[in-house]
Amino acid sequence: MPRVFNQKIKILYLMRVFLEQTDEEHPMSVKELITYLNNLGISAERKTVYDDIETLRNFGMDILNRREKPAGFYLASREFELPELKLLVDAVQSSRFITSRKSRQLIGKLESLASVYEARQLRRQVFVENRIRTMNESVYYSIDEIQRALNEDRQISFQYCEWTVEKELRLKKNGERYLVSPWGLVWQNENYYLVAYDEKCEKVKHYRVDKILQIQIENQPRDGKEIFKNYDTGELTSRTFGMFGGREETICLEAHNRLVGVVLDRFGRDIMIHRKDSEHFKTLIRVNVSGQFFGWIASLGPDAVIASPEEVREEYREFLEKSLSNYK
């Protein structure tokens, strides 16, 4: 390469070696930096290397000179610190909706944000009890298309799947395409859900993104603006159990004081808690009444009671009786 070009590209290679090969425990001396450049066919002198390091510092790179052994220059701070990268790697590895292959790819990209030495610490296995990974890699494409439709204020269409007893995904409605207006993505129970308005049914519906196939952005503008004008997605996730639908109801829940943490974790700290007596509290919560909600109540045992409305109490009694009938 021409000498002038070599000098122009030299500082870029120095930037790369600081990013990839150095940290506090692995600095590089000027002599080692010159050798590194010479191996790339780039001639360098001590003075020009010092000048380039100063230019990189002025550019914003936190390059320090370690005096004690091992001595040399190293990149002291990065966009992501090692504990932050470990946290991200753990999140990727423990996520059910990310396939094993995609998980390895993402972790490889996260490793590139650390030095080669720190990257070794990111190659660890996180074990999550009962984790089942999705096999549908189109989820990434679907999320991207949904976000684009949200930004462009347009409807989407797609095919939707369900699992069969043979453990195979089967198209619902014989492959008929669903046409909805997307209004958000919700992360719940380790899955992504599309929150959308179905104009045909005039309802807000939820769809598991990993069960969406052949998504397409349509030309029609989104419907449901009035419904979603003051829609609180965070509140939706607290009152919807397993993202199953159901009619909205305000429930008076009475429970033992030991369950107050469970209720606050589920519905947030903004709900009003009142003492019923020295050992029990009561609260009003907005929920979508469904079998999943009744299952959650049942999991709390006899220490939690639906106090009102009576209609929901009756539905819960029927739910328990039908469940109990399976064991007679």
Side-chain angles (χ1 to χ4, degrees):
M1 289 184 287
R3 179 179 177 83
V4 173
F5 180 75
N6 280 351
Q7 296 308 304
K8 286 183 177 180
I9 202 172
K10 172 161 60 73
I11 195 168
L12 297 179
Y13 279 112
L14 283 174
M15 177 187 290
R16 187 168 76 176
V17 76
F18 277 118
L19 287 168
E20 295 180 354
Q21 302 289 334
T22 72
D23 54 45
E24 187 173 4
E25 298 302 319
H26 302 88
M28 291 183 71
S29 66
V30 172
K31 182 179 179 180
E32 289 172 325
L33 291 171
I34 291 173
T35 300
Y36 165 78
L37 292 170
N38 288 340
N39 289 337
L40 294 171
I42 301 173
S43 61
E45 300 175 354
R46 293 184 66 86
K47 182 180 183 308
T48 59
V49 171
Y50 280 116
D51 290 342
D52 288 338
I53 290 174
E54 190 60 33
T55 298
L56 292 174
R57 283 171 170 165
N58 292 333
F59 179 68
M61 295 185 71
D62 186 18
I63 299 173
L64 299 183
N65 187 5
R66 177 170 174 159
R67 302 295 182 179
E68 66 274 13
K69 292 186 178 181
F73 292 91
Y74 68 96
L75 186 62
S77 61
R78 303 168 187 271
E79 191 70 24
F80 290 93
E81 299 299 330
L82 186 60
E84 295 172 328
L85 289 174
K86 287 181 178 179
L87 184 65
L88 292 173
V89 167
D90 289 352
V92 169
Q93 285 191 327
S94 61
S95 176
R96 291 196 310 174
F97 93 93
I98 302 177
T99 63
S100 296
R101 189 176 76 91
K102 195 63 177 180
S103 177
R104 290 192 296 269
Q105 291 177 352
L106 290 175
I107 291 171
K109 291 179 180 180
L110 289 171
E111 288 176 357
S112 70
L113 299 175
S115 71
V116 291
Y117 310 102
E118 292 178 332
R120 294 169 187 167
Q121 299 182 49
L122 300 177
R123 294 167 197 163
R124 54 198 187 136
Q125 183 65 45
V126 177
F127 294 96
V128 181
E129 186 180 5
N130 297 327
R131 178 184 61 185
I132 302 172
R133 286 193 177 275
T134 181
M135 294 181 290
N136 180 10
E137 288 207 2
S138 67
V139 64
Y140 314 106
Y141 172 76
S142 297
I143 290 172
D144 186 57
E145 289 296 279
I146 291 168
Q147 292 287 5
R148 190 157 71 90
L150 290 170
N151 292 333
E152 296 177 6
D153 192 32
R154 291 158 65 187
Q155 296 185 28
I156 59 173
S157 65
F158 53 84
Q159 293 175 310
Y160 200 55
C161 298
E162 63 182 350
W163 286 104
T164 67
V165 293
E166 291 79 25
K167 296 185 287 186
E168 297 176 346
L169 279 175
R170 176 181 62 196
L171 290 175
K172 297 187 71 173
K173 297 184 179 180
N174 295 319
E176 179 185 338
R177 295 187 69 81
Y178 290 61
L179 179 66
V180 299
S181 297
W183 285 97
L185 285 164
V186 172
W187 172 259
Q188 191 181 72
N189 299 328
E190 298 190 66
N191 288 301
Y192 263 122
Y193 290 87
L194 165 67
V195 180
Y197 179 71
D198 187 331
E199 184 185 23
K200 188 175 180 180
C201 302
E202 297 184 342
K203 287 184 178 180
V204 176
K205 294 186 176 181
H206 320 114
Y207 303 89
R208 275 264 301 267
V209 176
D210 60 314
K211 294 182 180 179
I212 290 175
L213 296 177
Q214 303 297 327
I215 190 170
Q216 182 176 316
I217 298 177
E218 304 295 339
N219 292 324
Q220 302 99 303
R222 289 186 297 173
D223 294 316
K225 286 183 173 61
E226 288 303 314
I227 294 175
F228 284 89
K229 189 175 182 180
N230 299 308
Y231 207 76
D232 187 342
T233 304
E235 192 265 340
L236 164 72
T237 59
S238 68
R239 63 176 167 82
T240 306
F241 289 75
M243 294 307 290
F244 281 82
R247 71 180 189 282
E248 267 191 63
E249 291 278 3
T250 298
I251 306 295
C252 179
L253 181 70
E254 296 179 356
H256 195 280
N257 290 342
R258 70 171 66 94
L259 296 177
V260 68
V262 175
V263 173
L264 290 177
D265 285 344
R266 178 74 229 192
F267 298 98
R269 296 187 180 184
D270 291 337
I271 62 173
M272 298 294 291
I273 299 283
H274 302 281
R275 287 191 178 275
K276 181 188 176 187
D277 54 45
S278 61
E279 293 187 343
H280 300 85
F281 68 91
K282 61 181 180 179
T283 183
L284 294 178
I285 52 177
R286 291 288 291 176
V287 302
N288 284 2
V289 177
S290 65
Q292 283 65 37
F293 166 63
F294 291 147
W296 180 77
I297 291 291
S299 72
L300 302 180
D303 288 335
V305 176
I306 299 173
S308 66
E310 186 58 37
E311 180 184 359
V312 178
R313 286 170 57 86
E314 181 59 32
E315 287 182 53
Y316 184 49
R317 277 192 291 267
E318 292 177 3
F319 171 84
L320 293 175
E321 288 170 359
K322 288 179 180 177
S323 298
L324 186 60
S325 67
N326 291 327
Y327 298 91
K328 290 183 178 179

